[in-house]
Amino acid sequence: MVNQELIAKTAEKHDSFYLYDEAVIEERIHRLQQDFPGVYFLYSIKCNAHQELLKSVFSRSFGADAASAGEVDLAKKCGLSCNEIFYSAPGKSDDDLRTVMDDSIIIADSLGEIERIQKLAFESGRLCRIGVRLNPSFSMQDDIGSSSKFGIDEESFFAWAKSCPALPNIEIIGLHVHLQSQILEEDILGYYYDRMFALAERFYRLPGIRLEFLNLGSGMGIPYSLSDCELDTGRLGEIVNRRIESFCKVYSAVQVIIEVGRYVAGPAGIFVTKVMDKKVSRGKIYLILKNTLNGFIRPSLACLVGKYSDQDEPAGCEPLFTGLDAFQYEILKKSDSEDAESDVGPGASDTAPGAVDFVGMTSKKNDLFSDQVPLEKVTLVGNLCTSADVIAEDILLPTMVRGDLMIVKNAGSYAAVLSPMQFSSQEQPAEFFIRKKSR
Ligand SMILES: *Cc1c(COP(=O)(O)O)cnc(C)c1O
């Protein structure tokens, strides 16, 4: 179990690290499988490809959403078969396509790609079962389609399919759409699923199509900001399960699929970073943390967006930016204070040894603090040789000293995987998968 004791113990050997909690992953997977009994779930590997985590997720009847040939290979190494791995990405190379042909169901992302798959399958004497990713004539929120680099515009695909192109080495067996991530309102997702079933019915009637799967994509979000509410999957299940049942009564051979990345892995992870130094420059107190921009880039990006945007709530751009107040910090004081340097700067006072629980925020809305402990105004920066490496400026935090720990939550998805580790040859944050104890 991930608790303060484990965090403190791990910090004896590591200055920055991730802990992933299998118990949380299991609980979230269980919830999804209970609330959507008719759905086959895929795990989106790109949000966290830690090997132990993959093994754990794929041992629980999840298939794989692979975003590269490399991810197809990771899923295959976890024992998944061709029919359990779905490879969807724009810009696949011929080499990618050749490599994965026997190991995954390729989701074609353009009409040109369908023709290339036909050619490659012909050359190797195969019959290739594929899906297609469409860019539908609706969005998550309304009935207007938009331009996208992903998928094939619905109307282009329908016109093309009706022209009955000769594709002797291809069977089109599935439809995939993914429009948006990080949605916390059940009604928006419910309405979106409704339109997906209607699209699937139109798709089914096209010549040359044998619909075996309908992949509804992702969208299930997690609370980041303290003002976010948890998505109610029980309620979403009530909205969508009846629709799935009636759809599957008519189209009994069709498997309904939902992809999730962050929903399963995000809340299972924390990122821990140590105060490596504390200094004062012209009255400003700096806490220098280990591997921030290069270990968990999202808080640094949120700070950057906040600096250059004059909006209170700039729109999200997943998975790089969710919102200005998307990160909560907890502080773990070093219990052994012998190394503590309390003589830096005004207001830097010694705090009693032992753990202090505290929640703070990086945002412009940094008004959240407890008045039980001494606070000081600090700027949180990382150890990279660039002044862009800042996660928060002038926020009030309990007094921290060298060796204290800062814990960032929701670090199980789009965290370690997004780190720009090639910059300045730093050591990477360690990653640990904490197995659930079997009873
Ligand atoms: C990234 C991605 C997902 C996962 O998104 P989450 O918000 O992490 O659930 C699902 N489907 C596709 C096609 C993706 O690219």
Side-chain angles (χ1 to χ4, degrees), residues 1-19 270 272 274 332-336 355 403 405 407 430 432 434 437:
M1 196 177 71
V2 174
N3 53 24
Q4 291 189 347
E5 203 184 327
L6 178 67
I7 294 168
K9 193 154 174 284
T10 312
E12 287 169 11
K13 289 216 177 91
H14 302 275
D15 293 333
S16 73
F17 55 92
Y18 285 92
L19 297 178
I270 58 168
V272 182
K274 195 179 283 176
L332 199 57
K333 303 289 293 179
K334 207 166 68 147
S335 44
D336 167 14
L405 302 176
I407 301 159
F432 300 100
I434 312 305
K437 288 224 169 63

Side-chain angles (χ1 to χ4, degrees), residues 157-158 161-162 164 175 197-211 247 250-251:
F157 181 79
F158 276 59
K162 282 173 188 160
C164 296
L175 166 62
F197 288 113
L199 172 61
E201 283 162 9
R202 297 198 295 282
F203 188 84
Y204 187 91
R205 289 194 289 270
L206 286 170
I209 304 273
R210 236 192 48 221
L211 193 60
F247 180 84
V250 184
Y251 308 96

